[in-house]
Amino acid sequence: MKKWKTIIGFGILLCMLILPSCSKKTDVKEDAPFIYGLNTERTGLKKINYKIQEKDPLKAAKAMLKEMNTPSTDIDYMNAIPKKVKVQKCELEGQILKIDFNDAYYDIPKLEEKLVQAAIVKSLVKIDGVSALWMTVNGTEMTASDGRPLGYLTDDDYVRNIGESVSTYQTETFTLYFANDAGDRLIPCEYNVKYNSNTPKEKLIVEKLLNGPQKGKGKPTLNPDTVLLGVTIKDGICYVNFDGQFLNAQVDVKPEITIHSIVNSLIDGTVASKVQITVNGEKNVMYKQMVDLTKPFQRDNDWIMEDEPS
């Protein structure tokens, strides 16, 4: 009898030790750290328990990508990155994580690709020191269904992919800075804008600047052919990425006016305290051979025209 009690007791103890380790990875408690996988049908995202161990953001990113590429042993989810898709290069420039995949990425079904992108982006931006992603396949930038480059990708780009946010509309007053007639001073202009709550304010502001001022409210400061590749805010810095048309200035204003129309508008209208401007992801650029874009800019009131009606 004592022998059987000993065996039963040992069995209970063994079960107690084993059961916690057998809990499902998809049982994510509130406020617990996680990354995203795909559901078994690969039609939606699934939260997976995952704790970032590495302090270095690049090492943390590489470890996370490896985890997302490892086939799941849990029947409740699938790994977000298919097994044959490999990361060829992963590097961090500032707070922009650049990832290059092999050709196997093109084998991902189109309907599934958006979910794969969402899982990767929404997981990796959880890392401190990573504000946005720039993804390529064999060095070629990924494009959207309409052929336009994806540019910088942030959590905001995929907020509706898993129904985490309800789309609503709201109205807000923004102060945008355009040029005076001489092109050597900034004019603050107030705009009442109704917009989708899923649209980041920083994106809305830059798009409004690209559209130019309303009639009688200043002079354009940006080449309207410029394409906004991405804009995001992380740790108080707004990162704005334009395509090469940004350098082909078609507006008769001082270079500083163009730069600070962007900077002052974004700092006034968002939580950012600085603005980093890049061209095709590069910040080692001289705008019009006069303005160095290497470092982030702060708000500058010296370029604003005093007592100018808006």
Side-chain angles (χ1 to χ4, degrees):
M1 181 62 70
K2 288 183 178 180
K3 182 179 179 181
W4 280 108
K5 286 183 178 181
T6 301
I7 293 173
I8 293 172
F10 179 76
I12 293 172
L13 178 62
L14 185 63
C15 288
M16 291 175 65
L17 292 173
I18 291 176
L19 283 174
S21 64
C22 293
S23 61
K24 293 181 179 180
K25 295 181 71 173
T26 52
D27 292 337
V28 180
K29 295 181 179 179
E30 188 175 357
D31 297 328
F34 65 89
I35 57 175
Y36 286 100
L38 272 60
N39 60 23
T40 51
E41 297 82 14
R42 300 188 78 84
T43 57
L45 301 186
K46 195 88 171 178
K47 291 181 180 179
I48 312 299
N49 280 304
Y50 182 85
K51 186 175 181 179
I52 299 171
Q53 303 289 344
E54 300 78 6
K55 293 183 178 180
D56 178 77
L58 182 57
K59 289 181 179 179
K62 290 180 177 179
M64 188 179 289
L65 284 166
K66 183 178 180 181
E67 176 69 17
M68 297 178 76
N69 190 222
T70 302
S72 167
T73 57
D74 193 320
I75 62 172
D76 285 347
Y77 79 96
M78 304 286 286
N79 51 301
I81 305 175
K83 185 178 180 180
K84 292 183 179 180
V85 177
K86 301 300 180 185
V87 175
Q88 300 184 134
K89 185 184 293 185
C90 181
E91 53 190 13
L92 193 63
E93 292 187 6
Q95 294 198 358
I96 308 300
L97 185 69
K98 294 188 173 183
I99 308 171
D100 186 58
F101 295 101
N102 64 352
D103 278 335
Y105 178 88
Y106 291 128
D107 294 331
I108 300 174
K110 287 299 178 183
L111 293 177
E112 184 182 311
E113 182 185 12
K114 196 76 171 179
L115 288 172
V116 171
Q117 291 175 2
I120 295 171
V121 174
K122 291 174 73 66
S123 297
L124 286 162
V125 295
K126 293 177 179 293
I127 300 172
D128 287 336
V130 176
S131 64
L133 272 65
W134 183 281
M135 298 195 291
T136 57
V137 179
N138 270 342
T140 301
E141 185 180 357
M142 291 184 187
T143 58
S145 57
D146 60 2
R148 294 182 61 159
L150 290 180
Y152 288 158
L153 297 172
T154 69
D155 184 73
D156 292 322
D157 291 301
Y158 298 98
V159 68
R160 283 170 287 182
N161 277 79
I162 54 174
E164 290 185 341
S165 177
V166 177
S167 177
T168 59
Y169 284 86
Q170 59 191 61
T171 301
E172 191 164 342
T173 300
F174 293 99
T175 299
L176 305 181
Y177 291 86
F178 293 102
N180 63 352
D181 289 339
D184 60 359
R185 285 290 184 271
L186 292 171
I187 300 175
C189 305
E190 288 191 352
Y191 285 77
N192 292 317
V193 182
K194 184 178 181 180
Y195 64 101
N196 190 309
S197 60
N198 283 336
T199 302
K201 291 182 182 180
E202 55 272 21
K203 183 174 185 289
L204 182 69
I205 288 171
V206 178
E207 287 177 344
K208 291 292 182 183
L209 290 174
L210 286 169
N211 289 337
Q214 296 176 0
K215 188 175 181 180
K217 287 192 175 183
K219 186 176 179 178
T221 58
L222 293 170
N223 176 359
D225 294 329
T226 301
V227 176
L228 176 63
L229 298 178
V231 56
T232 187
I233 296 176
K234 188 70 177 280
D235 297 331
I237 300 178
C238 184
Y239 295 87
V240 186
N241 185 33
F242 295 111
D243 74 340
Q245 285 295 329
F246 176 72
L247 301 177
N248 299 328
Q250 296 182 6
V251 288
D252 186 21
V253 301
K254 283 189 172 183
E256 295 88 349
I257 293 300
T258 293
I259 298 304
H260 286 287
S261 71
I262 301 169
V263 174
N264 287 12
S265 297
L266 284 168
I267 291 178
D268 274 14
T270 70
V271 297
S273 58
K274 294 181 181 180
V275 176
Q276 174 70 66
I277 299 173
T278 58
V279 179
N280 289 324
E282 299 295 329
K283 61 182 180 180
N284 188 23
V285 176
M286 289 291 291
Y287 179 70
K288 280 193 170 182
Q289 308 302 316
M290 294 184 66
V291 184
D292 186 0
L293 304 184
T294 304
K295 296 181 180 179
F297 293 91
Q298 293 181 316
R299 194 180 193 282
D300 193 337
N301 292 329
D302 292 342
W303 294 102
I304 301 174
M305 176 175 282
E306 297 293 338
D307 301 322
E308 179 75 15
S310 60

